[in-house]
Amino acid sequence: MCSKTRLALAGLLLLLMAASLGWPLPQPLFQQPLSRQLLDENQQLLSARIAADQQWRFALISPLSDAYKTALITYEDKRFRQHLGVDPLAIMRALYLNLKWGRVVSGGSTLTMQLARMIDGNQPRTWWQKLQELHLALRLEAQLSKAEILKYYAANAPMGGNTVGIEAAAWRYFGRRLAELSWAESALLAVLPNNPAAMHLSRGRDKLQAKRDFLLQKLWHNGVLTEQDYRLSVLEKIPQKPRAWPTYGQHLLDRLTQQSPNQAVFHTQIDRRLTQKIEFITRQHSQRLGAIGIHNLALLVVDNETLQTKAYFGNVAYRQRAEDAFHVDIASRPRSSGSTLKPFLYAAMLDNGDMTPKTLIADVPTAYGSYQPSNYDQRFRGAVSARSALIASLNIPAVRMLHSYSYQAFYRRLQTLGFNHLFRQADGYGLSLILGGAEVSLTDLTAAYANLSRRAQTAAALRVTPLRYGMASPEQVTSTPPYPFSQGAAWLTLNTLSDVTRPGLHKMHRLFSGSARVAWKTGTSYGLRDGWAVGTTANVTVGVWVGNANGEGRQLLTGTHAAAPILFDTLNIIDKLDWPEPPSGALKSIQVCRENGFLPKYGCPRTSVLIPQGAQFEKVSPHHFQVAVDQDSGLRSSIGCHPHGRIISQTFFQLPPSQAAYYRLAHADYRPVPDFDPRCTPDRRALRGNFEITYPRSGQVISVPRYLSGERGEVIFRATAKQASAPLFWHLDKRYLGTTRTFHEWSEVLAPGEHWLRVVDQQGVWQQIRFTVVP
């Protein structure tokens, strides 16, 4: 090349460099869409979604490794650190060869010029295009650092097929982060953009490996690699095919993408190792459940201290069928709550001073208007302690507790706790709010139980914390409401739930000294459509939902049978499960009657019970009576009746007849107030406890169906007497119906409208209720 040509080229370069200093770069440099990445707590890839242009193009989040940078510069641009975007020696050599052959056979491109070509969209190679790329390269060098140029190049270099950039390539071909690649792997990714198609063509793989080995040899000769490193590196094989992308947490990735559509990388605190173990459990149970027609399950694991999600299975489908909606994130969708909200009512009533854990709650046929709840086993127990009712998840006591507490107040409490899927007003739910009438998601439910555990472990002021999937801003934390339960109420609730009998073989846990203590609750929605199981310890909470995405019910779709085994199999693989220590400063002990958990009255046998420190329980026992008894006959009497008899005063525990009829079946030692001595005239007010109308209840609305013949169905009246053999006399709307003994039931065909029922015993004591019949 003559000296005049060299001078002309040098002058042209100087002019272009001068013009580049103030010429702004394109903003942004690259406009191509990025793939979505979900990363675990160690920045490992959990899941990915392809970019909108069907390319696997990852945002570069890892710093470029020294191995890759050294390999890339050695192979592509050995004077990269010295030149200003254009290598004059390489340009002159390329110009000479191109003039000699009359066409572009060599570009003399630096890494910066290759980056410029990528930014321009890899246009066809012409003299004019080459000049434009040269100009852009000088601008890049003038306005970016060398490190930034390398980063942009590595993030956008073609890596074979539809894989773009080194971040995607490292996962696609080696399944690891860029920083974890070996010298041989880094060298392969350095030479791959020179011929990216070779990665997918078997006939080009030998040449690709030869290029890699040539680069490794060069690094050895340059003193970068030792001979041993070089010999070992060339023994590594080139990947036979791209790896399948990991699919952990795909539903979470889709959910986060919807929430933040402009974000490409989502950093989470998910535990990959734990997730892999749970995946095996979910697959096993999915097969078990699928065989009985239950096709979907979801599972979450949450760290109680931080509310960070450690495992997220939004929807594990038995089969990848459209009707199973396997792509839908069921974990975040509202479903019927079943009995899962009962513990929060229990905590609220403890704090409110409405009850103690030992307070008796009626468990008898119950109706509020037309609403008639029933227990899952269709049995009645007469009366049970609040603690026992929660352990057994009894529906009728729960409804009675909610009626006492107010469903409006409980509705507001649920909103405070973060249940955000309640789309109706409180009156739209009514008392069904406690038995599955509410809509909750697995994410909200698991967070609520995790918050309950957090509260049980600290007396400090807390706020309701929603589930987290990564870093949370201070605004997200402080914008939530204060936690509504006391530490004492939270701990007492967990303590009660820890005594729930576990399913199957898990019920044997008490036989093993090292068995972890877990507070847990199940729930089953109406129609057997949703099965829930949530378990919490001091440090972790696990939530499980099972069911069918289409809402189809199944006979065995219950929380205990379908969801609880998954819960405990998951808890069993978690390394450490702690239990909250009793918060002595948040609890106080009070004396109550042993039989019913109310404040002592007369001489009732007493026991101590723990309640929240701030609770004011002031309810005196309504079931204890002090009466005069003849010591000889054991019958109820009075001094005026037996002036010379041995009359003593005794305290008796007596439930209302409707409760006593069921209660005595499970309590053989139940001894109510004795009958009056027939020689005495009783106080009529004391006889009001001799019988009780149990159906219908006062104010109840009764819907009466018609038979196929068109005839109207009958209404069956029921009553319970202290002595079953005692006669009862029935009156309806001032019309005498008849008498019953032993089995106190009477059936009548009633016209729609309001009716009055009066029942009278042989001593003239009566009870009267009003009810309404609707067609």
Side-chain angles (χ1 to χ4, degrees):
M1 184 181 294
C2 66
S3 59
K4 291 183 178 181
T5 303
R6 294 191 184 118
L7 289 173
L9 180 59
L12 180 60
L13 289 175
L14 288 172
L15 288 174
L16 287 173
M17 289 175 64
S20 301
L21 295 176
W23 199 314
L25 293 172
Q27 293 297 329
L29 289 180
F30 292 92
Q31 298 186 11
Q32 290 88 343
L34 294 172
S35 301
R36 312 284 182 174
Q37 301 177 64
L38 186 72
L39 305 179
D40 73 359
E41 59 186 354
N42 296 316
Q43 304 305 300
Q44 298 286 342
L45 185 67
L46 289 167
S47 187
R49 292 295 192 192
I50 199 167
D53 61 354
Q54 301 304 300
Q55 302 293 304
W56 291 106
R57 184 186 298 104
F58 287 5
L60 188 61
I61 58 175
S62 304
L64 298 179
S65 66
D66 291 338
Y68 172 73
K69 289 187 289 186
T70 301
L72 179 63
I73 292 172
T74 301
Y75 185 76
E76 288 284 359
D77 190 358
K78 63 183 179 182
R79 287 183 287 273
F80 175 74
R81 301 292 185 187
Q82 290 77 42
H83 65 64
L84 298 177
V86 178
D87 188 344
L89 295 178
I91 289 290
M92 287 187 289
R93 178 177 175 276
L95 183 60
Y96 170 75
L97 292 174
N98 293 338
L99 289 174
K100 178 180 178 180
W101 293 99
R103 58 188 174 88
V104 177
V105 295
S106 176
S109 296
T110 62
L111 281 171
T112 313
M113 293 176 67
Q114 292 181 50
L115 175 59
R117 179 171 173 76
M118 295 177 197
I119 294 172
D120 276 346
N122 292 305
Q123 300 295 327
R125 294 190 176 187
T126 63
W127 287 103
W128 175 247
Q129 181 61 32
K130 196 69 179 177
L131 192 61
Q132 286 184 310
E133 291 172 5
L134 187 149
H135 182 217
L136 180 54
L138 293 172
R139 291 156 55 198
L140 289 169
E141 286 282 349
Q143 299 179 49
L144 298 178
S145 67
K146 290 289 187 181
E148 290 173 318
I149 291 172
L150 281 179
K151 180 179 177 181
Y152 277 115
Y153 173 89
N156 294 278
M159 291 293 181
N162 62 345
T163 304
V164 178
I166 191 170
E167 193 86 44
W171 287 110
R172 187 66 159 161
Y173 300 129
F174 307 113
R176 293 193 296 279
R177 293 186 301 165
L178 179 58
E180 298 170 348
L181 299 185
S182 67
W183 274 102
E185 292 164 344
S186 298
L188 177 64
L189 297 184
V191 303
L192 187 55
N194 189 262
N195 186 13
M199 198 68 195
H200 298 270
L201 298 175
S202 58
R203 64 178 180 272
R205 299 177 72 80
D206 291 341
K207 292 182 178 179
L208 182 63
Q209 183 161 350
K211 287 183 178 181
R212 183 205 70 174
D213 293 348
F214 172 77
L215 174 56
L216 289 170
Q217 185 180 47
K218 199 169 184 179
L219 292 171
W220 172 37
H221 289 160
N222 291 347
V224 177
L225 296 179
T226 64
E227 181 177 1
Q228 182 180 13
D229 289 338
Y230 164 69
R231 299 296 181 191
L232 292 174
S233 294
V234 295
L235 292 176
E236 293 185 28
K237 300 295 184 181
I238 292 179
Q240 291 296 316
K241 61 181 180 179
R243 294 171 177 262
W245 296 106
T247 57
Y248 302 118
Q250 283 193 322
H251 295 96
L252 177 58
L253 175 57
D254 292 340
R255 179 184 178 189
L256 295 177
T257 299
Q258 290 179 352
Q259 294 175 355
S260 304
N262 297 323
Q263 189 171 336
V265 183
F266 297 94
H267 300 267
T268 73
Q269 291 297 308
I270 288 180
D271 185 330
R272 185 188 185 91
R273 176 173 162 271
L274 177 62
T275 297
Q276 290 172 331
K277 291 182 178 181
I278 296 175
E279 183 184 41
F280 178 74
I281 293 173
T282 59
R283 285 178 178 175
Q284 283 187 316
H285 284 283
S286 182
Q287 294 295 317
R288 171 180 69 88
L289 296 172
I292 56 176
I294 304 172
H295 297 132
N296 301 88
L297 71 87
L299 185 149
L300 301 179
V301 179
V302 176
D303 181 282
N304 290 346
E305 182 178 0
T306 63
L307 266 289
Q308 291 285 357
T309 306
K310 307 304 290 186
Y312 191 105
F313 292 82
N315 183 359
V316 179
Y318 173 54
R319 296 171 181 160
Q320 300 292 302
R321 305 182 306 175
E323 54 264 41
D324 291 338
F326 61 90
H327 61 283
V328 176
D329 179 22
I330 295 182
S332 63
R333 299 297 179 90
R335 307 287 296 200
S336 171
S337 59
S339 298
T340 57
L341 303 180
K342 291 176 182 176
F344 304 107
L345 175 61
Y346 183 84
M349 294 187 72
L350 288 177
D351 264 340
N352 210 40
D354 294 324
M355 66 183 193
T356 73
K358 293 182 179 292
T359 300
L360 284 188
I361 310 295
D363 181 21
V364 295
T366 299
Y368 294 100
S370 60
Y371 183 57
Q372 302 179 51
S374 62
N375 292 326
Y376 180 77
D377 58 6
Q378 301 299 316
R379 294 173 52 219
F380 306 101
R381 293 153 182 82
V384 293
S385 69
R387 191 176 195 277
S388 297
L390 180 58
I391 290 174
S393 195
L394 300 179
N395 292 339
I396 292 175
V399 171
R400 285 178 168 268
M401 289 165 63
L402 181 60
H403 181 261
S404 171
Y405 182 75
S406 159
Y407 65 79
Q408 295 93 340
F410 187 57
Y411 175 85
R412 293 190 294 270
R413 189 61 57 91
L414 291 177
Q415 288 181 314
T416 301
L417 289 169
F419 291 100
N420 299 312
H421 294 286
L422 302 172
F423 67 93
R424 290 173 282 180
Q425 295 299 315
D427 290 341
Y429 296 100
L431 295 174
S432 71
L433 193 63
I434 199 66
L435 297 185
E439 303 85 13
V440 304
S441 68
L442 182 61
T443 54
D444 289 348
L445 189 66
T446 308
Y449 276 82
N451 274 292
L452 188 66
S453 177
R454 288 177 70 234
R455 187 54 172 143
Q457 299 175 68
T458 179
L462 286 181
R463 290 188 174 273
V464 176
T465 304
L467 220 57
R468 297 173 180 169
Y469 309 103
M471 298 302 295
S473 66
E475 293 76 15
Q476 290 176 302
V477 177
T478 57
S479 62
T480 57
Y483 195 73
F485 301 143
S486 71
Q487 183 185 14
W491 188 88
L492 288 170
T493 303
L494 294 185
N495 184 58
T496 298
L497 294 176
S498 70
D499 282 341
V500 178
T501 302
R502 301 184 186 183
L505 295 177
H506 295 288
K507 68 179 61 174
M508 308 293 289
H509 74 283
R510 297 185 188 277
L511 300 178
F512 304 96
S513 60
S515 179
R517 193 173 179 185
V518 177
W520 71 290
K521 184 74 183 73
T522 61
T524 304
S525 68
Y526 178 78
L528 303 178
R529 294 182 174 89
D530 305 273
W532 303 89
V534 186
T536 188
T537 65
N539 54 311
V540 69
T541 299
V542 178
V544 179
W545 172 90
V546 297
N548 289 310
N550 60 8
E552 187 176 1
R554 282 289 184 268
Q555 183 176 1
L556 297 177
L557 208 174
T558 67
T560 301
H561 180 272
I566 306 174
L567 168 69
F568 285 102
D569 283 353
T570 301
L571 287 167
N572 284 344
I573 66 169
I574 296 176
D575 294 334
K576 186 180 180 183
L577 298 176
D578 299 321
W579 183 251
E581 293 293 329
S584 56
L587 300 171
K588 64 182 178 183
S589 178
I590 63 171
Q591 291 289 307
V592 295
C593 292
R594 187 176 60 207
E595 293 99 339
N596 65 358
F598 285 87
L599 294 181
K601 184 179 181 182
Y602 303 125
C604 71
R606 304 182 184 191
T607 187
S608 60
V609 64
L610 293 175
I611 64 173
Q613 181 66 46
Q616 297 297 323
F617 181 70
E618 299 176 346
K619 296 183 178 180
V620 178
S621 173
H623 305 130
H624 287 89
F625 302 90
Q626 193 171 51
V627 297
V629 176
D630 188 318
Q631 277 189 306
D632 296 327
S633 66
L635 297 175
R636 192 171 179 181
S637 183
S638 65
I639 296 178
C641 180
H642 293 95
H644 304 294
R646 293 194 301 165
I647 308 301
I648 61 173
S649 179
Q650 287 188 355
T651 299
F652 288 89
F653 170 63
Q654 177 171 288
L655 294 170
S658 61
Q659 298 179 33
Y662 300 102
Y663 184 85
R664 63 166 62 99
L665 297 177
H667 298 81
D669 58 343
Y670 176 69
R671 295 289 185 271
V673 175
D675 292 331
F676 272 96
D677 189 320
R679 294 171 297 175
C680 299
T681 302
D683 183 348
R684 293 176 61 85
R685 292 174 298 177
L687 296 174
R688 293 190 179 275
N690 282 351
F691 75 93
E692 183 180 359
I693 299 174
T694 57
Y695 185 84
R697 307 300 291 184
S698 183
Q700 186 170 349
V701 177
I702 302 174
S703 178
V704 180
R706 289 182 177 272
Y707 299 121
L708 294 176
S709 62
E711 296 180 357
R712 188 179 293 113
E714 297 177 330
V715 176
I716 300 177
F717 306 130
R718 297 185 180 90
T720 302
K722 180 180 175 182
Q723 290 186 345
S725 60
L728 294 180
F729 306 95
W730 299 78
H731 303 260
L732 180 69
D733 300 330
K734 299 183 179 181
R735 174 170 58 91
Y736 176 65
L737 298 178
T739 306
T740 59
R741 291 178 181 271
T742 308
F743 300 105
H744 298 292
E745 293 186 356
W746 194 279
S747 61
E748 281 288 318
V749 176
L750 300 180
E754 186 177 89
H755 297 273
W756 291 85
L757 175 68
R758 174 178 288 196
V759 180
V760 185
D761 70 3
Q762 62 185 348
Q763 293 172 314
V765 177
W766 55 269
Q767 290 186 26
Q768 180 172 280
I769 57 118
R770 177 183 58 84
F771 63 95
T772 302
V773 173
V774 296

